[in-house]
Amino acid sequence: MAREKKEMAGPPPPAAWMSTFSDLMNLLLCFFVLLFSLSSVDEEKFKELAASFASSFSIFPAGATAIGDGILISNGVSQLNELSEYFSSMGLSEEGDMEQTIESVKAEIERENLEKSEAMAEEIEDALLDQEIEGIDVDFTSQYVQLQMNGALLFDSGRAVLKDEAKQVLNKIGDILLGYSDNLIEVIGHTDNVPISTSQFRDNMDLSYYRARAVMDYLLDEKEIPRECIQTSGRGEDAPIASNDTAEGRALNRRVEIRIYRAIE
């Protein structure tokens, strides 16, 4: 007869999942211990880095420990003083008169542009003398040089057809303008304030435009000035240069202007 096995006293054997769970807990514990150790190392490194910056560049609240201010100032007050001196050296007062400085720069640019326009006007005046052209007024601004021709020289009263003698003058002016074909050229017509209303022109604005257009078309057709560099407009009676109360003043207001804009450099 077989002998019966005796069961050993004590707790039952653990389930299989408990062994796996224990291993997982151990791994998690090791993982968090490792993270903690790494964070402690980073903190120490950060402290060292912060101390290095504080002593060298004075960018932390504790202030500088270096001797002298150096290039980077050791406290906020010193930095403000240095900035004030810096801006003052660039033309700014302690009150920060930025607008005054900007206006000063604009004035300097305007002066330089006027000098360039003046030199260009002198060149054109010399060319007019060489061509023996009379009755042309030359003026300039910081943006352009202007040739002003009296309307009576170019057109009969109330008409927009060029006179024969006007074509001779425009031939010579066209030769001068060819030297500035890279610049923008604008032809502008003006009239006096005497009303006009005909089958051809509704008002002075129409008359001034067609007069300017006649000058431009002649320069395009006869002198072969590039079409892309020339434009035209009519101002009518809106831009007088003299009083329209006298015959002399009205004669001055009836005019055609040719503006040669300086090339952008």
Side-chain angles (χ1 to χ4, degrees), residues 152-219:
L153 172 67
L154 303 173
F155 306 99
D156 290 325
S157 179
R159 302 191 63 189
V161 179
L162 287 170
K163 295 179 178 181
D164 290 337
E165 54 267 33
K167 295 178 182 179
Q168 298 175 8
V169 174
L170 289 177
N171 279 332
K172 296 179 180 181
I173 291 178
D175 291 335
I176 296 173
L177 295 179
L178 284 173
Y180 299 93
S181 58
D182 292 335
N183 301 50
L184 173 63
I185 299 172
E186 183 178 18
V187 183
I188 307 170
H190 300 270
T191 67
D192 57 26
N193 68 343
V194 177
I196 184 174
S197 180
T198 66
S199 58
Q200 188 176 5
F201 310 115
R202 294 174 299 175
D203 51 26
N204 283 324
M205 189 68 71
D206 263 9
L207 177 59
S208 66
Y209 170 77
Y210 281 104
R211 285 185 168 182
R213 179 64 187 265
V215 172
M216 183 187 74
D217 288 344
Y218 187 84
L219 294 173

Side-chain angles (χ1 to χ4, degrees), residues 61-117:
T65 59
I67 299 176
D69 289 336
I71 298 177
L72 296 176
I73 311 304
S74 62
N75 55 71
V77 176
S78 298
Q79 289 175 354
L80 290 176
N81 291 336
E82 284 292 318
L83 288 174
S84 176
E85 293 177 6
Y86 173 73
F87 284 116
S88 296
S89 67
M90 296 187 67
L92 300 178
S93 69
E94 293 182 357
E95 290 76 14
D97 52 347
M98 179 69 73
E99 293 183 2
Q100 182 178 353
T101 301
I102 291 175
E103 291 301 321
S104 177
V105 171
K106 287 182 178 179
E108 179 64 20
I109 294 174
E110 180 76 6
R111 184 188 63 79
E112 292 179 358
N113 288 336
L114 277 173
E115 290 179 354
K116 294 176 182 178
S117 292

Side-chain angles (χ1 to χ4, degrees), residues 4-262:
E4 295 181 358
K5 289 184 177 181
K6 294 183 180 180
E7 295 182 0
M8 296 181 62
W17 66 268
M18 294 182 65
S19 176
T20 304
F21 182 77
S22 298
D23 292 340
L24 178 61
M25 291 298 100
N26 289 331
L27 289 174
L28 287 176
L29 177 62
C30 293
F31 177 71
F32 283 111
V33 169
L34 178 62
L35 286 181
F36 178 78
S37 63
L38 289 176
S39 64
S40 299
V41 172
D42 287 344
E43 182 180 357
E44 292 300 323
K45 288 183 177 180
F46 177 77
K47 288 180 180 180
E48 294 176 3
L49 181 63
S52 176
F53 273 110
S55 61
S56 300
F57 301 114
S58 307
I59 62 173
F60 290 97
T65 59
I67 299 176
D69 289 336
I71 298 177
L72 296 176
I73 311 304
S74 62
N75 55 71
V77 176
S78 298
Q79 289 175 354
L80 290 176
N81 291 336
E82 284 292 318
L83 288 174
S84 176
E85 293 177 6
Y86 173 73
F87 284 116
S88 296
S89 67
M90 296 187 67
L92 300 178
S93 69
E94 293 182 357
E95 290 76 14
D97 52 347
M98 179 69 73
E99 293 183 2
Q100 182 178 353
T101 301
I102 291 175
E103 291 301 321
S104 177
V105 171
K106 287 182 178 179
E108 179 64 20
I109 294 174
E110 180 76 6
R111 184 188 63 79
E112 292 179 358
N113 288 336
L114 277 173
E115 290 179 354
K116 294 176 182 178
S117 292
E118 183 178 12
M120 181 177 168
E122 291 176 353
E123 292 178 356
I124 294 176
E125 286 179 334
D126 291 341
L128 291 173
L129 290 175
D130 292 340
Q131 295 279 3
E132 298 181 352
I133 303 175
E134 298 179 354
I136 307 296
D137 294 329
V138 179
D139 198 3
F140 63 91
T141 70
S142 61
Q143 298 178 332
Y144 57 80
V145 175
Q146 177 176 283
L147 309 182
Q148 181 178 300
M149 297 173 286
N150 190 274
L153 172 67
L154 303 173
F155 306 99
D156 290 325
S157 179
R159 302 191 63 189
V161 179
L162 287 170
K163 295 179 178 181
D164 290 337
E165 54 267 33
K167 295 178 182 179
Q168 298 175 8
V169 174
L170 289 177
N171 279 332
K172 296 179 180 181
I173 291 178
D175 291 335
I176 296 173
L177 295 179
L178 284 173
Y180 299 93
S181 58
D182 292 335
N183 301 50
L184 173 63
I185 299 172
E186 183 178 18
V187 183
I188 307 170
H190 300 270
T191 67
D192 57 26
N193 68 343
V194 177
I196 184 174
S197 180
T198 66
S199 58
Q200 188 176 5
F201 310 115
R202 294 174 299 175
D203 51 26
N204 283 324
M205 189 68 71
D206 263 9
L207 177 59
S208 66
Y209 170 77
Y210 281 104
R211 285 185 168 182
R213 179 64 187 265
V215 172
M216 183 187 74
D217 288 344
Y218 187 84
L219 294 173
L220 289 172
D221 296 338
E222 300 298 327
K223 307 310 296 184
E224 298 183 354
I225 293 178
R227 180 65 182 88
E228 62 272 12
C229 79
I230 190 169
Q231 63 184 27
T232 184
S233 63
R235 305 289 176 83
E237 61 193 68
D238 294 335
I241 58 174
S243 173
N244 281 307
D245 296 335
T246 64
E248 293 79 6
R250 291 192 295 271
L252 290 174
N253 290 331
R254 296 190 296 268
R255 67 198 190 277
V256 172
E257 298 167 345
I258 298 179
R259 292 179 179 178
I260 309 169
Y261 290 85
R262 288 192 309 100

